[in-house]
Amino acid sequence: MRKNKYFSLSLMLEGIKQTKTLGICLTVVSIIVSCFNPFITLFSPLGASFHAVTVNEFVAPIFSMSYFIPAILIFGLFGFMNKRNSSDFYHSVPLNRSCVYITYTAVTMVWCIFIMLVSTFASYLLCVIAPSVMITPYFIWIALYSSFIAAFLSMSIALVAMGLSGNFFSDIVTFLLLMFAPRLIISVFTSAISSAVPIVSFDSIPLLRPYINILFIPFESGVSYSELMTDWGIMLYSIILALVYFVRGFFIHRARKSESAESAVAFKGV
């Protein structure tokens, strides 16, 4: 195989095969979480009362899966980076690091798309079956694109975390820091300024609001959930942020040395 390849279909199929058990387990968990409320409504003795499903009720369970499913898959696929023998082996195969990086991220997104599709349509089907439940098909579209964007962002952050650290514990800590710390720091900063100078308001600056990052939408109070999920400014910002993390992870993985496996950090600067 050529060294300059950036994608390998055979490696992708092998990656899907390697993560088959993990992917099936995550699919089952996602279906259970997304279908829990419709299932209770369908078989509850009080299910005869009419209930109109809201965007939050339908999207939130499916959306919540996008936080950890991509990270689990990335940690599983790139787990060889945390073991010295496995890391040496993967870095010696004909496929270069760029090919492994792009191909394994493709494997992750294939699983995420499959899991989100199955979970969304299973939840919607249960809502349709329930005679006392009213739901609009438009919710499917909102659930899918918001979950895909959030999954892409979560996956990109996990890729950077895997490149910066050398063991599983450090992977998790770095992943959580990269996901939540920047927005938390911004929130603390803006709150401190607003408290010190009451006449200063940051409401007119969307980039300083936590919900501009799609992963923070569920934590935002006082703003319509459906309004945020249909705000294309938020979606565009989250996609650009995910691409920045993805490209950053690409160069980090290319520069990462095999000797950094099993160490807390992969680079001295970290």
Side-chain angles (χ1 to χ4, degrees):
M1 288 176 283
R2 294 181 302 171
K3 273 281 189 178
N4 60 346
K5 291 184 65 175
Y6 284 91
F7 179 79
S8 172
L9 180 60
S10 60
L11 181 62
M12 179 178 175
L13 296 176
E14 181 62 28
I16 293 176
K17 185 184 300 183
Q18 289 177 4
T19 54
K20 181 175 63 175
T21 302
L22 178 60
I24 292 174
C25 291
L26 291 174
T27 302
V28 172
V29 171
S30 181
I31 291 174
I32 292 174
V33 172
S34 60
C35 293
F36 181 78
N37 285 335
F39 183 84
I40 294 298
T41 303
L42 181 61
F43 294 98
S44 172
L46 302 177
S49 58
F50 180 78
H51 174 64
V53 178
T54 64
V55 174
N56 192 8
E57 290 174 331
F58 182 76
V59 176
I62 303 167
F63 184 83
S64 65
M65 298 293 100
S66 60
Y67 283 86
F68 65 89
I69 286 179
I72 292 175
L73 289 167
I74 289 295
F75 293 155
L77 285 165
F78 288 91
F80 66 87
M81 297 172 62
N82 295 334
K83 301 176 182 178
R84 182 58 188 275
N85 292 336
S86 300
S87 181
D88 290 340
F89 170 75
Y90 268 88
H91 287 134
S92 65
V93 297
L95 293 173
N96 59 24
R97 299 185 186 186
S98 301
C99 180
V100 174
Y101 180 86
I102 293 176
T103 303
Y104 274 178
T105 55
V107 172
T108 302
M109 289 310 298
V110 166
W111 273 115
C112 288
I113 291 172
F114 173 78
I115 293 171
M116 299 303 174
L117 283 172
V118 172
S119 302
T120 300
F121 283 100
S123 178
Y124 180 77
L125 182 61
L126 277 180
C127 291
V128 171
I129 292 175
S132 58
V133 174
M134 185 184 74
I135 185 171
T136 172
Y138 182 63
F139 289 177
I140 295 178
W141 168 242
I142 297 177
L144 288 178
Y145 76 69
S146 62
S147 298
F148 292 161
I149 294 173
F152 180 40
L153 178 55
S154 177
M155 180 197 71
S156 300
I157 294 173
L159 286 167
V160 174
M162 285 292 302
L164 293 177
S165 55
N167 58 57
F168 184 67
F169 178 75
S170 298
D171 292 341
I172 297 177
V173 172
T174 308
F175 172 73
L176 294 175
L177 283 174
L178 290 174
M179 179 176 285
F180 296 109
R183 277 292 146 189
L184 291 177
I185 292 173
I186 292 174
S187 298
V188 171
F189 173 77
T190 54
S191 298
I193 296 297
S194 299
S195 299
V197 187
I199 61 174
V200 176
S201 176
F202 296 98
D203 294 336
S204 60
I205 308 177
L207 289 177
L208 297 181
R209 298 294 297 165
Y211 62 73
I212 194 66
N213 183 326
I214 192 173
L215 296 176
F216 280 76
I217 287 180
F219 306 103
E220 186 67 23
S221 59
V223 183
S224 172
Y225 190 84
S226 58
E227 179 183 345
L228 295 178
M229 281 298 186
T230 53
D231 188 327
W232 288 106
I234 295 175
M235 301 301 130
L236 180 60
Y237 172 85
S238 300
I239 292 173
I240 293 175
L241 182 62
L243 289 173
V244 170
Y245 274 116
F246 182 79
V247 173
R248 185 179 300 176
F250 176 80
F251 289 105
I252 289 174
H253 278 251
R254 290 190 60 178
R256 191 180 189 273
K257 296 182 179 180
S258 179
E259 294 79 7
S260 59
E262 300 180 1
S263 60
V265 294
F267 301 95
K268 293 182 179 179
V270 179

